[in-house]
Amino acid sequence: MPLTITPRALLWFVLLLAAMSATLLVSPASARVMPDLYDVREAVASRGNTDRADATARGLERVFVRVTGDQNIANNPKVAPVLAQSQKFVQSYRYDSDDNQLYLQLAFDPQAVNDLVHKLQLPLWPNNRPGTLVWMAVDTLQSGRDTLRQEDYPELFGLLDGLAMERGLPLDFPVMDLNDQRNMPLGSLWAQDEGAAERAGVRYRPDATLMGRLLQTSGQRWQANWLLIHGGRSYAFDASGTTMEEVALRGVNEAANLLAERYAVHSSDTGVASAVMVEISGIRSFAHYSQATKYLQGLAQVSSAEVLAVDGDRLMLALNSSTELKTLQNVLALNRNLQLARDDGLVDLSGYRAPLGSAQNPLRYSWQ
């Protein structure tokens, strides 16, 4: 018997394919969602209640560092009383062992922790974070100058990976094959050449680039110069210490501080939510529509994203947000599908220009 497809079934099938396409076409190069910010593993001496309570307090402190972006958050007087009640925020826990060491695996409730951060008026760094590509060169007294590669310094890169997990900052390292060596020669890396960083980063498409030159000044002293490139700006800073590992870790730590400062939502920024108008052109399919609206509705800085109109390939939305407009713009810039469009806000004969983000002068983007 022949198969009959009704118009309604055909429409459903087309929409399903479009939704599947939306999933498949999501660019992996956008800022990454960090999934394990609220999970920690703590060494314990026993399964006793006291050891578990102490480990839970330490674990919640680590989670606070990740979600606030403040590595010194434990020094905040608001936090100490909360750490004493840390077991209230545990979603689940279990024990395991490794090399005769007992560990407590803790999973804290993300919503409860976020609500607590808001209640304490602490900054909240949403889990959508810029992927950062790290290039490093070293100059030692014994061997001279060279590029740092993972295969040559596995312990150092392991420490950097561990720190990245503690700060909730997604790190990548170049493979340093012939392509990387051609696009980022040692001289350009040591000079912290931003043009070379842009060329060499094309294959990795990072959201941010961190370049470091680590110099051994004596048998016991190291100096490092760092350059963080992100969002059209460059941030230079230094680090010093007694080992190469120490100055490398300090560089990544400071990069995390700078990025958290840029993207964290501060309670002082918040207040009555206001609507920011956003216009997105280039919405040419249901897949584009689905991707754009899902992304905007999922932003931690946005309480709601309401579609106001669809006109041809243009989509107009109202984003309700209590964060500063600049913070919201920084967050939107993390999604490479959203390209900032030409600013053509109207200016009337008196020279008046409608406020940015208003219905007369919306934030304008094109969908790529």
Side-chain angles (χ1 to χ4, degrees):
M1 137 174 222
L3 178 64
T4 301
I5 301 178
T6 66
R8 182 173 182 178
L10 181 60
L11 175 61
W12 178 88
F13 182 72
V14 171
L15 292 178
L16 177 62
L17 287 178
M20 291 174 63
S21 299
T23 301
L24 294 173
L25 292 174
V26 171
S27 172
S30 297
R32 303 178 203 168
V33 174
M34 299 297 290
D36 302 321
L37 294 178
Y38 304 88
D39 299 340
V40 295
R41 187 185 193 218
E42 284 288 334
V44 290
S46 73
R47 297 173 184 258
N49 291 338
T50 300
D51 286 333
R52 185 171 73 247
D54 291 343
T56 303
R58 295 195 304 271
L60 183 58
E61 179 182 331
R62 291 168 61 192
V63 169
F64 266 119
V65 170
R66 294 175 184 174
V67 300
T68 64
D70 183 354
Q71 67 182 113
N72 299 313
I73 194 66
N75 297 331
N76 190 313
K78 300 177 182 178
V79 172
V82 172
L83 296 180
Q85 306 174 43
S86 57
Q87 295 186 77
K88 294 169 51 178
F89 305 98
V90 174
Q91 198 170 51
S92 64
Y93 71 89
R94 63 182 176 84
Y95 292 94
D96 66 12
S97 59
D98 187 11
D99 289 336
N100 296 321
Q101 173 63 59
L102 184 64
Y103 290 94
L104 177 63
Q105 297 270 10
L106 293 157
F108 289 92
D109 185 338
Q111 189 60 56
V113 171
N114 289 354
D115 290 344
L116 182 59
V117 167
H118 180 74
K119 180 180 178 181
L120 296 177
Q121 296 185 316
L122 302 174
L124 176 65
W125 189 9
N127 62 356
N128 194 33
R129 301 188 176 182
T132 303
L133 180 65
V134 182
W135 302 85
M136 293 183 294
V138 64
D139 192 345
T140 66
L141 296 174
Q142 182 177 5
S143 303
R145 192 173 296 177
D146 197 7
T147 301
L148 281 173
R149 299 172 176 83
Q150 281 184 283
E151 60 266 28
D152 297 331
Y153 297 88
E155 293 184 3
L156 169 63
F157 283 86
L159 290 172
L160 293 175
D161 280 332
L163 177 61
M165 183 179 298
E166 287 305 301
R167 297 303 307 271
L169 180 64
L171 290 187
D172 289 314
F173 303 103
V175 295
M176 294 312 301
D177 56 9
L178 292 176
N179 187 45
D180 282 342
Q181 294 173 45
R182 180 176 62 253
N183 292 322
M184 180 64 80
L186 178 58
S188 297
L189 175 53
W190 193 261
Q192 297 184 334
D193 184 336
E194 296 187 34
E198 182 177 358
R199 292 189 297 273
V202 168
R203 68 188 300 194
Y204 300 102
R205 300 186 66 200
D207 297 300
T209 298
L210 180 63
M211 305 175 73
R213 54 189 182 203
L214 286 58
L215 175 65
Q216 185 180 23
T217 58
S218 70
Q220 297 294 325
R221 296 302 301 172
W222 284 78
Q223 178 73 30
N225 307 116
W226 293 93
L227 185 70
L228 176 66
I229 307 167
H230 177 61
R233 296 182 60 186
S234 300
Y235 308 83
F237 53 94
D238 300 327
S240 60
T242 58
T243 65
M244 176 177 65
E245 290 78 9
E246 183 179 357
V247 294
L249 292 171
R250 286 185 174 179
V252 171
N253 235 339
E254 182 60 22
N257 292 340
L258 290 167
L259 292 170
E261 183 179 339
R262 182 180 177 95
Y263 292 105
V265 179
H266 295 266
S267 296
S268 57
D269 296 340
T270 62
V272 178
S274 59
V276 176
M277 300 301 164
V278 176
E279 179 186 277
I280 305 175
S281 61
I283 304 296
R284 299 184 177 88
S285 67
F286 178 77
H288 292 166
Y289 175 90
S290 176
Q291 291 174 22
T293 55
K294 182 178 180 180
Y295 170 72
L296 293 172
Q297 290 167 353
L299 290 175
Q301 295 86 351
V302 174
S303 56
S304 67
E306 180 183 358
V307 177
L308 300 179
V310 179
D311 183 10
D313 73 338
R314 293 180 181 272
L315 181 64
M316 180 68 79
L317 305 98
L319 306 185
N320 284 299
S321 175
S322 53
T323 66
E324 290 184 345
L325 181 61
K326 185 60 179 176
T327 300
L328 183 60
Q329 290 176 291
N330 289 339
V331 172
L332 294 177
L334 282 175
N335 189 323
R336 290 207 185 87
N337 285 330
L338 286 175
Q339 296 295 315
L340 192 63
R342 183 173 59 87
D343 184 6
D344 56 356
L346 297 177
V347 179
D348 64 21
L349 295 177
S350 67
Y352 171 76
R353 183 187 183 93
L356 187 62
S358 65
Q360 296 76 27
N361 188 18
L363 299 181
R364 290 182 171 86
Y365 296 89
S366 61
W367 188 260
Q368 303 295 321

